[in-house]
Amino acid sequence: MHPNDPKLRSFIEVDSSSDFPIQNLPYGVFFTPEQPDLRVGVAIGDFVLDLTALEAAGLIRFDNANAVFAQSSLNAFMALGPKVWSKTRVRISELLRHDHPELRDNMELRRRALVPRKSIDLHMPIAVQGFTDFYSSKEHATNVGIMFRGKDNALMPNWLSIPIGYNGRASTVVVSGTPIRRPRGQLKPPTADVPMFGPCKRLDFELEMGVVIGQASAMGEMLTEQQAEEMIFGFTLLNDWSARDIQAWEYVPLGPFQAKAFGTSISPWIVPREALEPFRVKGPAQDPAPLPYLQQKHAQNYDLQLAVDLKTETMKQAAGICRTNFKYMYWSSVQQLVHHASSGCAMNVGDLLGSGTISGPEKSERGSMLELSWGGAEPLDLGNGVQRSFLEDGDSLTMRGWCQGNGYRVGFGEVEGTIQPAA
Ligand code: CA
């Protein structure tokens, strides 16, 4: 049976509302207080399957590599390439099936290999080599353009031709749960004559998906659609924290710099690209037609639901502030990667691409505070008299994402970050 078959069942009970059924099998890096060595595991229901235990027991083998999972990141595994990713996923799926005895009936190995998820700590899943952030939602780019430049110049003339992006910082990509310190920077409100240096007053999140690149490309070489797709190892939730007031002053003419460099959070589980196959959909029609090197033969978007919750220090329960879908993206991840390499730019194992903020056509589908509060003009009502235009100290922001199957869902877990006061 194919690992994506909706009929597959594991010997481990998995609730239909769980993010981690046997059809998902996302990879993460974890440790426990009793066994502090970092290692690679796969989430299944309320457990993590310790792949180092399976490798040590000889249940998973690689032709020319050892200790692939006894690592502090997924990079060594990713470097083995898409055929190995596929084969390994098939094997893990088989070992977890309800009708397959190898692991199911080996109680001693099960005790070592299946660790309750509530007893683990999750680490950064990848060693990020480079981080590039795109700007590929037409709805988001239009909303931001209207606020920054007015309605007539909302979408820049290049936007419909190029997947716009910039090279961000890999050094400050952190895993879910890492606190985010309010940045300081140069601010120049429209009413001020000169800039000042101080804490950001318009701190924001950006709801994005992260694309994890699992294969390198050579400097000087372009990629085809097929090559680009095979280089994508998987997807993660990504919060591209943004300082809007710093951004507004610094972004001309080279784009964002410090406004985006102080922190980017990702979820700890990397969902394999293959697990998303059943949820592929066509993206929006592209008009004008992209140049030939950017044209896609295949549907490259995903029907992937997204939700954002905000909880202030005084709130008992988080409030939902956004519900949207990854399928709205104008430029696909494959197009972004093809474009990224098109000049001859080399890609590395462990590169991370941010999709760009994901906003939909409805007001409730906007993927940033900037858009949700329309630049602060329409503060969000979080209930009990709590309002927010931008993020305040102590606020906790959580993003979730999932693809809904028939009776199961392929989920991403969550990415959370809480704002700490400026230094
Ligand atoms: Ca962004």
Side-chain angles (χ1 to χ4, degrees):
M1 271 169 116
H2 191 278
N4 288 346
D5 195 315
K7 292 192 292 295
L8 279 186
R9 293 288 172 265
S10 174
F11 60 83
I12 294 169
E13 285 289 323
V14 181
D15 192 81
S16 63
S17 65
S18 169
D19 275 346
F20 307 126
I22 193 169
Q23 290 84 359
N24 188 350
L25 306 178
Y27 294 95
V29 171
F30 75 103
F31 63 97
T32 55
E34 302 77 45
Q35 207 182 329
D37 292 337
L38 293 174
R39 52 205 194 272
V40 174
V42 155
I44 175 79
D46 294 333
F47 292 86
V48 56
L49 179 64
D50 182 343
L51 297 183
T52 63
L54 298 188
E55 205 182 353
L59 292 188
I60 296 182
R61 286 199 186 87
F62 299 97
D63 290 340
N64 299 305
N66 290 310
V68 168
F69 298 125
Q71 304 275 343
S72 58
S73 78
L74 287 164
N75 293 39
F77 174 56
M78 293 196 296
L80 298 177
K83 288 204 176 72
V84 174
W85 310 339
S86 245
K87 223 175 107 181
T88 306
R89 185 162 181 268
V90 167
R91 179 61 173 152
I92 294 168
S93 172
E94 180 180 59
L95 288 170
L96 286 170
R97 277 168 59 162
H98 78 284
D99 54 357
H100 189 89
E102 269 179 291
L103 178 60
R104 186 195 64 194
D105 296 347
N106 186 340
M107 291 316 283
E108 192 274 324
L109 182 57
R110 275 176 64 163
R111 265 192 296 277
R112 278 187 291 130
L114 286 162
V115 187
R117 278 200 294 116
K118 62 176 191 289
S119 71
I120 65 165
D121 281 301
L122 284 155
H123 186 261
M124 261 298 283
I126 49 173
V128 181
Q129 300 302 297
F131 171 50
T132 307
D133 195 33
F134 285 90
Y135 189 57
S136 289
S137 153
K138 193 174 175 184
E139 290 84 355
H140 171 70
T142 304
N143 288 337
V144 174
I146 291 171
M147 280 183 269
F148 275 52
R149 286 179 300 274
K151 209 162 187 161
D152 295 336
N153 300 305
L155 221 48
M156 287 292 199
N158 58 7
W159 199 92
L160 293 168
S161 301
I162 307 178
I164 300 290
Y166 67 93
N167 288 298
R169 290 296 300 171
S171 58
T172 25
V173 180
V174 294
V175 75
S176 175
T178 308
I180 298 297
R181 191 176 286 286
R182 178 178 300 275
R184 289 173 175 270
Q186 277 205 24
L187 316 168
K188 188 187 163 300
T191 51
D193 294 330
V194 290
M196 48 91 70
F197 186 83
C200 160
K201 293 185 180 69
R202 288 158 73 92
L203 184 55
D204 203 350
F205 70 91
E206 286 189 340
L207 169 63
E208 303 194 19
M209 291 303 295
V211 179
V212 178
I213 305 302
Q215 286 286 278
S217 70
M219 183 175 169
E221 284 182 20
M222 289 184 70
L223 299 171
T224 63
E225 177 187 10
Q226 175 82 12
Q227 286 169 330
E229 177 160 0
E230 286 177 359
M231 284 169 64
I232 296 175
F233 175 76
F235 291 81
T236 181
L237 298 164
L238 187 148
N239 183 348
D240 181 34
W241 303 96
S242 299
R244 299 300 179 193
D245 40 6
I246 298 173
Q247 184 180 358
W249 172 232
E250 76 174 4
Y251 90 106
V252 182
L254 288 186
F257 185 44
Q258 294 306 293
K260 306 278 190 169
F262 59 94
T264 304
S265 303
I266 62 169
S267 52
W269 298 108
I270 310 296
V271 174
R273 170 175 47 82
E274 286 188 303
L276 300 181
E277 273 306 302
F279 308 100
R280 256 184 207 259
V281 290
K282 265 201 173 134
Q286 294 184 316
D287 184 22
L291 291 171
Y293 80 102
L294 282 173
Q295 285 174 12
Q296 309 187 121
K297 284 193 204 72
H298 305 285
Q300 302 285 16
N301 282 36
Y302 299 101
D303 182 1
L304 195 168
Q305 301 180 52
L306 294 157
V308 182
D309 290 348
L310 176 57
K311 187 175 174 295
T312 71
E313 277 180 322
T314 60
M315 289 164 70
K316 285 199 181 71
Q317 243 190 333
I321 57 171
C322 166
R323 279 296 296 270
T324 187
N325 197 303
F326 192 34
K327 72 182 176 189
Y328 294 132
M329 299 307 276
Y330 188 86
W331 296 105
S332 74
S333 307
V334 167
Q335 285 176 315
Q336 291 173 339
L337 180 52
V338 166
H339 181 66
H340 204 327
S342 63
S343 64
C345 170
M347 305 304 298
N348 282 322
V349 175
D351 280 347
L352 179 67
L353 312 186
S355 62
T357 306
I358 303 161
S359 292
E362 301 299 325
K363 206 173 167 183
S364 60
E365 294 177 313
R366 295 172 178 172
S368 66
M369 293 298 284
L370 180 70
E371 295 165 271
L372 288 163
S373 73
W374 205 252
E378 302 165 21
L380 280 183
D381 188 357
L382 303 179
N384 294 322
V386 182
Q387 288 198 331
R388 280 293 181 275
S389 290
F390 292 95
L391 300 173
E392 295 184 11
D393 294 345
D395 286 359
S396 162
L397 203 288
T398 303
M399 298 171 176
R400 271 179 279 275
W402 65 95
C403 296
Q404 187 63 53
N406 188 5
Y408 70 100
R409 72 188 206 179
V410 172
F412 286 77
E414 63 176 44
V415 56
E416 189 274 343
T418 300
I419 305 302
Q420 290 188 334

